[in-house]
Amino acid sequence: MRDPSASASSLAVPTRFDGDPDRVALVVPGVGYSPARPLLHFASSVLRQHGWTVQELWWHVPDDFPEYSEDERIAWVDWQVGLAVNAEGGACRLIVGKSLGSLASGTAADRGIAAAWLTPLLTFGHVARSLRRAQEPTLLIGGSTDKWWDAELAASLHHDVLEVPSADHGLELPDDPVGSVEVLRQVVARLDRFVGSLGRAEAE
């Protein structure tokens, strides 16, 4: 088993946007999908609009990452996300993660943190099991042509789900940039509704 802390020096400095100090949302990237890419960029914008403090996690995936076993990948992601959550001293109440970031679904479930997973790796047993035991509000968004999306599993869970017809793992429509922008609008709108519902739940 590899030591997940071995690549600590490769982490870039995270980007932070200060809002309510008691409501911190951690934005977690995919393998090559950084917080600067559209889905996560607008996710951060939605969170900031709702008054959350946003902590963007930037990482450099190790060069030999493709050789990692599933357990090693989970350990690496959990280590990165765990450090970021611990740094908030209990104020981290939401994780928004793309693809690889969903390997931290176990962390979210175990720590009672709400989550929005964009193109989660539902075909990974660890992710499926974690989502089944997650009790906090959880949003799952995926494309119907994404090979890592499992529509049947998503529908069987008690979570909020948005499946985008014909969308791929990037939540885009192949050879249709205009249509892809409309998909982005749908995703951002659903995220906005989800984040807004968290605020209402706390108020109650």
Side-chain angles (χ1 to χ4, degrees):
M1 177 70 71
R2 292 177 174 82
D3 179 359
S5 66
S7 61
S9 62
S10 66
L11 281 173
V13 176
T15 303
R16 188 178 186 87
F17 301 93
D18 289 325
D20 185 344
D22 295 321
R23 291 187 302 148
V24 178
L26 180 64
V27 175
V28 183
V31 173
Y33 203 100
S34 78
R37 298 289 297 276
L39 291 168
L40 295 182
H41 168 76
F42 284 106
S44 292
S45 296
V46 165
L47 291 162
R48 292 159 63 190
Q49 181 184 27
H50 284 275
W52 288 68
T53 288
V54 178
Q55 179 68 58
E56 295 179 346
L57 178 59
W58 294 70
W59 59 34
H60 173 72
V61 175
D63 292 338
D64 61 344
F65 198 72
E67 301 171 13
Y68 280 31
S69 68
E70 181 174 333
D71 286 344
E72 288 171 336
R73 295 182 186 197
I74 293 166
W76 187 86
V77 171
D78 274 341
W79 183 79
Q80 309 281 353
V81 173
L83 279 181
V85 171
N86 290 342
E88 301 302 334
C92 182
R93 300 188 180 184
L94 175 63
I95 298 174
V96 179
K98 173 72 171 76
S99 185
L100 182 68
S102 69
L103 294 185
S105 53
T107 295
D110 293 341
R111 301 196 184 198
I113 300 173
W117 303 116
L118 311 179
T119 67
L121 305 179
L122 297 186
T123 58
F124 281 54
H126 168 78
V127 175
R129 290 189 296 272
S130 297
L131 291 174
R132 286 194 181 98
R133 70 174 191 273
Q135 297 299 311
E136 295 300 316
T138 300
L139 172 64
L140 308 175
I141 300 180
S144 66
T145 65
D146 180 359
K147 67 180 182 180
W148 289 291
W149 176 257
D150 184 330
E152 184 175 346
L153 171 65
S156 73
L157 300 169
H158 58 277
H159 304 311
D160 188 7
V161 177
L162 171 62
E163 181 179 292
V164 183
S166 303
D168 59 18
H169 190 61
L171 286 176
E172 297 184 13
L173 305 178
D175 302 317
D176 186 358
V178 174
S180 295
V181 172
E182 173 59 23
V183 170
L184 178 62
R185 188 200 66 78
Q186 293 178 44
V187 172
V188 174
R190 181 59 71 89
L191 278 169
D192 182 65
R193 188 192 318 168
F194 177 73
V195 174
S197 73
L198 297 179
R200 290 192 294 274
E202 289 183 359
E204 294 173 359

